[in-house]
Amino acid sequence: MHDDEAPLALDLGKHAVGARIRIAASPEEIWALVSNPHRHHEFDGSGSVQSQAIGPEELRRGDRFSVHMRRFGIPYRLPLRVTRSEHQRVLEWKQPTGHRWRWEIEPDGEDVIVTEAFDAAKQLPPVRVGLKAAGVFQDNAANIRASLIRMRGLFPSP
């Protein structure tokens, strides 16, 4: 995958969306971004994540953190809990309604393959139905692609 190639959409089942992209970076560099909630605004493709966050600078399993968001002009804060952390490989957190965001980092030669996924399989069913009806899954799929492109832009190819 080259700098001008789009992220590859993934088929993750009926309750999840995700994509992956090749980035000319090390696992350490990507981990430094995704594991630090104070840096999430640097690569957020939705435009909703703000630069203010509360929590550690490197997330580990069981950690709680929150990020300040703004959607439709309305500010809010999301409390999140890390459910999975494998240093420089996988980071996943759970939102209050049960859906999860997951980042996977896979070394591939001098590059890494970065995967981002939104998984609502364990989300409260009424919330999942409402979010699907409101188009949130489609929006999240587009925002994931935008986030991966922004992240790749932070590490231009030589």
Side-chain angles (χ1 to χ4, degrees):
M1 185 172 286
H2 296 90
D3 282 348
D4 59 345
E5 290 186 44
L8 175 66
L10 303 174
D11 181 2
L12 301 174
K14 66 181 182 175
H15 300 306
V17 294
R20 72 171 39 131
I21 199 167
R22 176 183 298 279
I23 300 177
S26 68
E28 295 85 0
E29 291 171 309
I30 301 300
W31 183 258
L33 282 174
V34 299
S35 71
N36 185 342
H38 304 274
R39 297 190 66 192
H40 288 180
H41 67 282
E42 294 178 32
F43 57 89
D44 169 51
S46 72
S48 61
V49 176
Q50 305 297 296
S51 61
Q52 304 86 12
I54 299 169
E57 292 197 10
E58 183 177 349
L59 297 170
R60 292 186 170 87
R61 187 167 190 235
D63 283 346
R64 294 182 183 278
F65 70 104
S66 65
V67 292
H68 293 266
M69 311 281 287
R70 180 177 295 275
R71 187 141 170 114
F72 307 116
I74 300 169
Y76 61 99
R77 186 174 65 91
L78 277 178
L80 307 160
R81 184 175 55 82
V82 178
T83 54
R84 186 171 170 197
S85 178
E86 297 173 29
H87 188 70
Q88 297 179 13
R89 302 274 305 155
V90 178
L91 185 66
E92 178 184 83
W93 56 81
K94 178 179 170 184
Q95 294 200 220
T97 60
H99 63 273
R100 297 165 190 259
W101 286 94
R102 184 175 51 258
W103 290 89
E104 297 176 12
I105 304 164
E106 180 184 344
D108 189 42
E110 294 183 12
D111 300 337
V112 292
I113 304 297
V114 178
T115 302
E116 181 182 5
F118 165 83
D119 186 347
K122 295 181 181 178
Q123 188 173 46
L124 300 170
V127 174
R128 184 173 57 227
V129 168
L131 292 178
K132 279 188 176 185
V136 170
F137 280 66
Q138 293 86 351
D139 288 349
N140 284 345
N143 294 338
I144 285 170
R145 291 189 301 273
S147 292
L148 291 170
I149 289 168
R150 282 192 68 174
M151 182 180 282
R152 183 176 59 198
L154 296 172
F155 304 97
S157 295

